[in-house]
Amino acid sequence: MTKHANALFVRFIALGIAIQVVVCHANADDTVRRPNVVLILADDLGCVDLGCTGSDLHQTPVIDALAAESMRFDRAYAAPTCSPSRSAILSGKNPAKLGIVGHGGVRKMGGGGDFLVGTEYTLAEALRDGGYNTCHIGKWHVGQAKANRPEQQGFATVVAANEFCCPGSFFYPFRDRRKGSKNAKLSAVPDLESYGPSDHLTPSLGSEAAKFIQQAAQGDQPFFLNLWYYAVHTPIEAMPEKVDKYSALKKPGAKHRNPEYAGLVEHLDDSVRIVLQALEDSGVADNTIVIFYSDNGGEVRRGITSNAPMRSGKTTLYEGGVRVPLFVRWPGVTRPGATSKVRVVGQDLYPTILAMTGVAGQQEQNREMDGVDFSALLRDPSATLPPRSLHWLRYGELVHYPTYKTDRTFGPSAAIIGKEGWKLIEHYPTPHGLERRYELFDLEQDPYEQHDLAESRRDKVAELKHELTEWQREIDLPSYEELAYPAFEKINGAGDSRAGERLRP
């Protein structure tokens, strides 16, 4: 090699090294610039349980301020109970496609339980594989012990996730201390031994979240914090001073009149304050997406709360059961105070978060998702999404809600909201006297479902019934008739042949 050629070779080598350094530096900067994500999920928080959404008792100044800084979705939906909603968030799929059509689910598939199977490539796994530090804090309730726990579903750090639907108690030591309680072990909340009698569970989870944020903010990875509160699910427990406060504030004729529940809602607000302050103190608030959402509508039975003017509540497919608050604060993108009336649903969060973070995810999971990326709405409140229908299946879970067999409101059902805003609810029959019936509502003109048009618009009933039936065929789930009657028999004994006839279309 000549001297000139040798010099040229050295220059090429040097240039290649320089390019590699620049590329590596750019990639590192891209990683740093990726936004952190904090997904705050309340449990059983109704669409009007916050000050900013219409409560006439509950005081939630922190969440109200977050909503004011966020884009607010006035037509956000979830499943009517917790396990389906949580599974939808993690999978990006309609929970019925996963076989989760009850409080814990009625499965035709394998996976070791009635919940989200381990073969799903979850949102947490996608973010983890995309370079995110992942953490789950709080309620889980989508997988059984040692099978589909958060540790197996993509979370590197897990805190305070028990094996049950709710905590044994919101009071320290956060377990059920009643003698003979059969679920005391399952409902005990772990990992919080350092707290004491003056601590309520809900702010304690906020403190744990703050610890994670402070630690993660010092690292070189963006982070995903999945903060799923137990509040405001039963047991309805608040510190005495909050109960006293709301006992004095409640007014005759108000829709919200439960001081214990109001206190629990305020505990949630206190906890969110701790989390948001930790983002500020750690210097990452301006690069952190905060999403606030609820897993289903408020529990209206037993006088817990009210979703008025929305109809009914948790476990039903009326608007009060599936309409929930949703706020998204994306610094530098969302406009404070912006609102959208486009219908979005829990399974949309997965593809939307992938789009916001620039994480590719897994091709097969992305292809099978039912969720739609709504990040365009976050950038432009006037934007729309392609027309689509939303579907729900609710077969019922007699172990948790034995009144399903005779209750016309809370019994098993299916529903569809069509592309034009018409909503059909199909109420399933039971061997105990409930007959198959349909209700039809024009949500654009009647958002509170006061006027059933099923008799006068039989053409629309037939159209939506056909679409709902075709969707059920597409998801390849055993029909209500195949799954429900054996469940009724299990609870009630042998049943009778005449009851079986009533189950057929």
Side-chain angles (χ1 to χ4, degrees):
M1 182 179 295
T2 66
K3 182 177 180 181
H4 176 74
N6 187 55
L8 189 60
F9 177 75
V10 170
R11 287 176 61 191
F12 273 121
I13 293 294
L15 180 60
I17 293 172
I19 290 173
Q20 288 181 341
V21 169
V22 170
V23 169
C24 290
H25 182 68
N27 289 340
D29 285 347
D30 287 344
T31 302
V32 171
R33 285 197 299 268
R34 281 186 176 179
N36 309 304
V37 179
V38 175
L39 174 55
I40 299 173
L41 185 68
D43 193 354
D44 286 7
L45 186 75
C47 57
V48 293
D49 271 339
L50 302 169
C52 64
T53 59
S55 176
D56 52 13
L57 177 62
H58 312 153
Q59 295 181 0
T60 54
V62 177
I63 299 174
D64 294 351
L66 174 64
E69 297 168 354
S70 303
M71 182 161 192
R72 175 170 159 175
F73 290 85
D74 289 343
R75 295 180 179 179
Y77 286 87
T81 55
C82 58
S83 293
S85 282
R86 293 160 192 270
S87 299
I89 293 169
L90 289 171
S91 68
K93 298 179 180 179
N94 186 302
K97 183 183 286 187
L98 303 168
I100 304 175
V101 291
H103 187 58
V106 182
R107 298 198 62 86
K108 73 164 188 174
M109 309 167 202
D114 292 336
F115 300 98
L116 184 66
V117 296
T119 53
E120 292 295 321
Y121 186 75
T122 68
L123 171 61
E125 290 174 305
L127 292 174
R128 177 200 64 192
D129 295 346
Y132 274 70
N133 179 5
T134 57
C135 175
H136 173 84
I137 295 177
K139 177 171 173 174
W140 183 241
H141 207 217
V142 290
Q144 294 180 337
K146 299 180 181 178
N148 296 311
R149 293 274 298 163
E151 295 91 334
Q152 283 78 49
Q153 297 282 24
F155 292 101
T157 302
V158 180
V159 181
N162 70 10
E163 303 291 343
F164 205 52
C165 66
C166 44
S169 175
F170 283 96
F171 300 136
Y172 185 83
F174 315 126
R175 58 183 175 84
D176 190 344
R177 290 183 287 181
R178 294 175 299 175
K179 187 176 180 180
S181 174
K182 63 179 181 179
N183 292 315
K185 184 176 179 180
L186 291 176
S187 64
V189 180
D191 308 322
L192 303 177
E193 293 78 11
S194 63
Y195 294 87
S198 64
D199 296 308
H200 189 274
L201 173 60
T202 307
S204 299
L205 296 184
S207 296
E208 291 300 308
K211 292 177 186 176
F212 171 76
I213 291 168
Q214 291 159 0
Q215 173 270 324
Q218 298 174 9
D220 56 3
Q221 291 179 279
F223 62 81
F224 170 49
L225 171 59
N226 200 50
L227 177 55
W228 287 5
Y229 285 105
Y230 292 95
V232 287
H233 195 289
T234 54
I236 307 302
E237 296 174 338
M239 288 298 192
E241 62 271 17
K242 292 195 185 293
V243 178
D244 292 343
K245 169 185 173 179
Y246 287 104
S247 294
L249 289 174
K250 67 178 182 177
K251 301 173 183 177
K255 62 187 173 188
H256 291 137
R257 300 188 298 273
N258 186 327
E260 288 83 5
Y261 184 78
L264 188 54
V265 172
E266 187 174 298
H267 279 303
L268 176 64
D269 196 66
D270 293 340
S271 190
V272 173
R273 176 186 287 110
I274 295 170
V275 175
L276 298 182
Q277 189 62 53
L279 293 174
E280 293 287 347
D281 293 345
S282 300
V284 296
D286 289 342
N287 192 39
T288 300
I289 296 164
V290 178
I291 301 170
F292 183 93
Y293 184 54
S294 178
D295 65 349
N296 50 251
E299 173 65 86
V300 298
R301 292 182 294 180
R302 295 174 290 171
I304 291 176
T305 191
S306 169
N307 299 304
M310 299 299 169
R311 184 172 177 178
S312 197
K314 177 182 177 179
T315 78
T316 78
L317 296 182
Y318 294 113
E319 293 291 279
V322 293
R323 282 276 288 273
V324 293
L326 173 61
F327 317 126
V328 180
R329 187 179 76 181
W330 186 3
V333 179
T334 51
R335 305 173 193 175
T339 61
S340 174
K341 296 189 179 300
V342 176
R343 290 185 177 90
V344 295
V345 68
Q347 52 261 32
D348 295 340
L349 290 174
Y350 190 149
T352 302
I353 290 172
L354 292 188
M356 289 191 289
T357 58
V359 171
Q362 184 190 70
Q363 286 187 356
E364 182 179 358
Q365 188 77 22
N366 295 349
R367 186 169 53 250
E368 294 178 352
M369 283 186 197
D370 303 295
V372 172
D373 168 20
F374 63 77
S375 61
L377 304 180
L378 300 173
R379 294 185 173 90
D380 179 5
S382 66
T384 60
L385 296 177
R388 61 170 172 165
S389 298
L390 301 180
H391 308 85
W392 289 266
L393 277 182
R394 176 69 179 152
Y395 283 1
E397 183 68 39
L398 294 179
V399 173
H400 291 86
Y401 301 105
T403 57
Y404 276 1
K405 58 191 179 185
T406 56
D407 194 315
R408 283 173 60 88
T409 298
F410 295 96
S413 55
I416 176 174
I417 299 178
K419 296 174 183 179
E420 298 175 348
W422 286 86
K423 180 177 181 180
L424 179 73
I425 302 178
E426 178 180 4
H427 297 273
Y428 289 127
T430 70
H432 308 87
L434 291 186
E435 301 291 337
R436 188 183 303 273
R437 64 189 179 94
Y438 296 90
E439 289 182 287
L440 178 70
F441 304 100
D442 180 359
L443 294 182
E444 299 303 315
Q445 303 299 321
D446 180 25
Y448 308 138
E449 300 169 304
Q450 299 300 304
H451 307 289
D452 177 12
L453 302 177
E455 286 298 318
S456 62
R457 291 299 308 270
R458 294 186 181 183
D459 59 324
K460 186 59 68 173
V461 171
E463 173 190 325
L464 292 176
K465 179 182 175 183
H466 174 74
E467 186 176 345
L468 184 60
T469 300
E470 287 302 305
W471 171 73
Q472 288 172 293
R473 287 199 183 102
E474 288 173 8
I475 64 175
D476 191 29
L477 185 72
S479 70
Y480 169 77
E481 287 74 19
E482 291 176 79
L483 287 177
Y485 193 53
F488 283 116
E489 285 184 317
K490 182 178 180 181
I491 299 298
N492 297 283
D496 62 74
S497 59
R498 290 173 298 170
E501 287 295 320
R502 284 198 295 271
L503 286 173
R504 299 192 180 99

